[in-house]
Amino acid sequence: MTSTIEYIRSRCDFCGTCVGVCPADAIELDEADLRIVQAECLLCMACVNVCPLGALEEKL
């Protein structure tokens, strides 16, 4: 089974911190939505670790 990174919309304030740390540029952000391109995600957990609101989680 492959892990994925998912975000919890109700916690996200679209600050963009996660976008800045993603080495694969796998996070797309606009003013009202965040999308993780799973095919490009390295599962490095940088975005999960840096999110100040805990809006990103690893899902097994």
Side-chain angles (χ1 to χ4, degrees), residues 1-21:
M1 177 175 251
T2 303
S3 296
T4 60
I5 303 297
E6 295 182 6
Y7 93 105
I8 301 165
R9 186 180 179 105
S10 62
R11 291 185 192 167
C12 184
D13 69 357
F14 310 105
C15 70
T17 303
C18 57
V19 176
V21 300

Side-chain angles (χ1 to χ4, degrees), residues 38-52:
Q38 300 296 341
E40 296 177 18
C41 179
L42 303 173
L43 290 171
C44 69
M45 305 298 286
C47 61
V48 173
N49 293 327
V50 77
C51 181

